[in-house]
Amino acid sequence: MTRDQNRYYVTTPIYYVNDVPHIGHAYTTLACDVLARFMRLDGRRVHFLTGTDEHGQKVEKSAHKAGMEPQKFTDEVSENFRALARQMNYSNDDFIRTTEARHKKAVQAIWKALTESGDIYLGSYAGWYAVRDEAFYNEDELSRDEEGRMIAPSGAEAEWLEEPSYFFRLSRWQEPLLKFYEENPDFIGPEGRRNEVISFVRGGLRDLSVSRTTFNWGIPVPDDPDHVVYVWLDALTNYITAVGYPNTDSENFSTFWPADVHMVGKDILRFHAVYWPAFLMAANLPLPRRVYAHGWLMNRGEKMSKSLGNVLRPQDLVENYGLDQVRYYLLREVPFGSDGYISHESMVARINGDLANDLGNLAQRVLSMIYKNCDATVPAPAEYHSADRILLDKAAGVLESVRREFAQQTFHRGLEAIWQIVGDANRYVDEQAPWILRKSDRERMGTVLYVLADTVRRLALIIQPVMPHAMERLLDQLNVSGEQRSFAYIEASLQPGEVLPKPEGIFPRYIEPEESQETS
């Protein structure tokens, strides 16, 4: 593996601090966490970044509404996102805030680079601006509501804005962007989103307002402190701030930039797939390798919103169903690039079906039979039959399928491939019937149980990124040492004679509260 292949840099969008974290934030960061954990187990040197976006008019308004100074307001709300990372067991290597000194330095440096390249000029802006989106819109993108207000595609109200402004020559980069998309077909995923971006850019790019004068909660423009840097130029720069920009000769920057994947919600794809690469081209910096826009999670078919009162808090889901169960469900239930529905019923079906019945029951049956029939000791296998080798090879070989699917952010397909092996292992138990072999052929029973235990070990290794706590417990029950839990050991084998602890269930069935009360 080359130096370039040995590193991996994955980022979440940095989350806007005008509200409390919700399931959408948890969903995006979970996908990045799974990628980061997977790549570490696969021998890669990983940098996993998340953080908070703390400047802009919307934050300033939210702070004033709360009766607080913006800095104190952002200090408090940013901490909510740190708490979410702890609650969801995310493994981020860095947490960046746009109010940090390192970030101010980076933003002012990229501003100067864009100025020196001739891509920033002073003018005046007159047009439609949505404070909630911190975005400018062309009139043909807007519609009027019943009260005559101009409404952006996101549903945010847009206001007419006139003020002096610096502009970025986005129009200059239309053809270079289209050429880049053509030469790098995997830069935007999934495919449907890529087509949307290309269509937007082909429709013509207008120069972009990149400063504001009507408020001051932002990073001052170098040499013109009456202006603050537009929040999206500010925010997007976080991805290079975190690896040492403007020191492009630093070890961190040379190791990790360009990023391997920026994970974003589909509502902010334009900023990441059009504006950000244009800024980087103009600053003569390498572009990220991939931008992936996932879909919305909908609550029983409705898009979640505070006004509908159907927003799901990740903490509530974890409290009700369990942390690793929620992690698995969010990536297994809905194809990651698509909009999809989540519900209590489908959550329970996954917990009781995939986890308790399929994987949990497999592990419990195998370990219990070893504990009872092999003196709680890993049995020594005798000669393998073809069915034994097929199952072991499948359990090791599925790693390559998962590696391929996760690299394309198709997490549900990777998990489907794993659960096919879980199903194969359960069928192997029934076909080999070790409880019958116990009376007729104990040597063969030992081989079957060894094959099953080693299959469970291999599955547990691969599932670690998605359900780290549960798989840690399962690998503990197999007495797999910590240094042997990376993917490098996928084709290793359990040590016969290893004494195992008394097995304990990993995934309890979900029982409805009223059922629990009736049986208590």
Side-chain angles (χ1 to χ4, degrees):
M1 189 180 287
T2 67
R3 174 188 171 92
D4 194 52
Q5 292 171 323
N6 191 49
R7 38 78 76 205
Y8 193 83
Y9 182 23
V10 58
T11 71
T12 74
I14 51 172
Y15 300 116
Y16 217 46
V17 293
N18 68 318
D19 205 352
V20 295
H22 55 68
I23 194 66
H25 303 120
Y27 186 50
T28 315
T29 313
L30 170 61
C32 294
D33 180 61
V34 169
L35 280 176
R37 289 177 180 273
F38 186 93
M39 295 302 172
R40 291 188 194 106
L41 288 166
D42 214 17
R44 308 277 282 272
R45 181 181 172 191
V46 170
H47 194 69
F48 166 22
L49 176 70
T50 189
T52 46
D53 178 9
E54 304 180 14
H55 289 134
Q57 189 174 5
K58 184 165 59 172
V59 170
E60 186 176 71
K61 284 188 172 184
S62 295
H64 291 160
K65 185 177 179 181
M68 301 170 71
E69 288 299 314
Q71 186 63 61
K72 187 173 189 308
F73 176 81
T74 57
D75 288 346
E76 289 192 6
V77 183
S78 180
E79 182 53 37
N80 293 335
F81 286 88
R82 287 184 187 270
L84 176 67
R86 293 190 293 270
Q87 291 157 356
M88 295 296 292
N89 194 22
Y90 299 143
S91 60
N92 52 292
D93 299 288
D94 194 1
F95 187 100
I96 192 167
R97 299 180 58 189
T98 56
T99 50
E100 293 178 45
R102 61 172 171 162
H103 185 65
K104 177 179 177 180
K105 178 181 177 183
V107 170
Q108 293 187 325
I110 198 170
W111 182 281
K112 290 177 180 177
L114 298 178
T115 301
E116 289 168 5
S117 71
D119 284 281
I120 285 183
Y121 63 91
L122 182 62
S124 62
Y125 179 80
W128 296 99
Y129 185 76
V131 173
R132 195 180 85 188
D133 298 344
E134 296 283 10
F136 301 96
Y137 290 99
N138 298 328
E139 190 159 350
D140 59 7
E141 297 180 275
L142 305 174
S143 59
R144 289 191 184 272
D145 66 8
E146 294 176 353
E147 299 175 21
R149 297 176 300 186
M150 299 298 278
I151 304 299
S154 65
E157 182 179 356
E159 303 169 350
W160 185 259
L161 178 71
E162 295 186 26
E163 63 177 329
S165 178
Y166 284 94
F167 285 82
F168 172 72
R169 296 185 194 276
L170 185 62
S171 57
R172 175 187 286 183
W173 296 98
Q174 178 173 331
E175 291 308 317
L177 282 169
L178 290 172
K179 183 173 184 287
F180 178 79
Y181 301 149
E182 183 179 351
E183 293 174 351
N184 298 273
D186 289 334
F187 175 65
I188 302 169
E191 182 71 17
R193 302 290 172 213
R194 178 177 183 271
N195 295 337
E196 290 173 11
V197 169
I198 291 174
S199 177
F200 172 76
V201 175
R202 280 182 179 153
L205 294 179
R206 300 181 183 182
D207 290 354
L208 180 69
S209 173
V210 288
S211 74
R212 300 291 306 277
T213 59
T214 53
F215 64 94
N216 59 16
W217 181 240
I219 295 174
V221 167
D223 305 319
D224 195 348
D226 290 339
H227 292 251
V228 295
V229 177
Y230 171 49
V231 68
W232 273 106
L233 175 54
D234 171 350
L236 290 162
T237 303
N238 92 90
Y239 302 127
I240 53 177
T241 300
V243 290
Y245 185 81
N247 184 3
T248 56
D249 295 325
S250 68
E251 198 270 341
N252 243 17
F253 192 91
S254 60
T255 298
F256 290 111
W257 191 257
D260 290 86
V261 61
H262 292 323
M263 196 77 75
V264 300
K266 64 180 183 179
D267 56 324
I268 56 173
L269 177 59
R270 182 186 302 181
F271 302 102
H272 286 79
V274 181
Y275 301 166
W276 180 226
F279 295 153
L280 291 169
M281 285 177 176
N284 197 29
L285 292 170
L287 273 61
R289 295 190 169 111
R290 185 165 170 83
V291 177
Y292 193 89
H294 65 75
W296 299 129
L297 290 179
M298 289 180 274
N299 188 354
R300 297 183 181 275
E302 293 183 312
K303 185 174 183 292
M304 285 179 259
S305 71
K306 286 194 294 184
S307 59
L308 291 174
N310 65 349
V311 174
L312 295 175
R313 296 175 68 249
Q315 298 92 330
D316 295 338
L317 291 178
V318 168
E319 185 176 334
N320 196 21
Y321 303 108
L323 174 57
D324 277 3
Q325 288 88 335
V326 169
R327 287 173 61 103
Y328 172 78
Y329 171 79
L330 289 177
L331 292 184
R332 178 66 179 83
E333 182 66 16
V334 177
F336 189 66
S338 307
D339 293 344
Y341 308 143
I342 61 175
S343 68
H344 170 72
E345 293 79 8
S346 60
M347 175 79 81
V348 172
R350 290 290 179 193
I351 292 173
N352 289 346
D354 297 9
L355 300 184
N357 289 352
D358 295 344
L359 178 59
N361 191 45
L362 171 67
Q364 184 73 1
R365 289 170 81 187
V366 171
L367 293 173
S368 293
M369 283 188 281
I370 290 174
Y371 191 79
K372 291 175 183 176
N373 300 311
C374 304
D375 296 323
T377 301
V378 176
E383 183 179 353
Y384 283 152
H385 293 187
S386 61
D388 307 336
R389 295 192 182 281
I390 287 171
L391 182 60
L392 286 170
D393 289 347
K394 281 185 174 180
V398 75
L399 174 60
E400 186 53 42
S401 297
V402 177
R403 186 182 283 130
R404 182 175 59 252
E405 298 295 354
F406 280 19
Q408 292 297 310
Q409 292 75 58
T410 46
F411 300 103
H412 65 293
R413 288 185 189 164
L415 290 169
E416 283 172 7
I418 294 169
W419 255 256
Q420 286 178 3
I421 310 305
V422 173
D424 289 343
N426 277 309
R427 285 185 287 274
Y428 173 91
V429 176
D430 295 335
E431 290 164 2
Q432 300 298 323
W435 52 91
I436 294 176
L437 292 171
R438 180 172 64 88
K439 298 176 182 177
S440 61
D441 189 344
R442 289 190 67 86
E443 183 179 76
R444 176 63 188 156
M445 177 201 73
T447 301
V448 167
L449 291 178
Y450 180 85
V451 167
L452 283 165
D454 209 36
T455 297
V456 170
R457 178 190 67 85
R458 294 176 181 196
L459 290 169
L461 291 180
I462 301 170
I463 298 169
Q464 286 178 100
V466 179
M467 295 186 285
H469 278 323
M471 293 307 99
E472 180 182 22
R473 290 176 58 206
L474 184 50
L475 290 166
D476 284 348
Q477 293 189 42
L478 288 162
N479 264 0
V480 177
S481 62
E483 64 271 13
Q484 294 186 340
R485 295 186 181 188
S486 75
F487 296 157
Y489 290 88
I490 194 74
E491 294 195 37
S493 301
L494 281 173
Q495 185 64 40
E498 188 79 27
V499 177
L500 303 182
K502 184 175 182 180
E504 297 178 356
I506 301 295
F507 296 113
R509 291 181 60 79
Y510 182 88
I511 300 174
E512 298 290 351
E514 57 269 24
E515 293 179 33
S516 179
Q517 290 171 8
E518 289 170 7
T519 57
S520 61

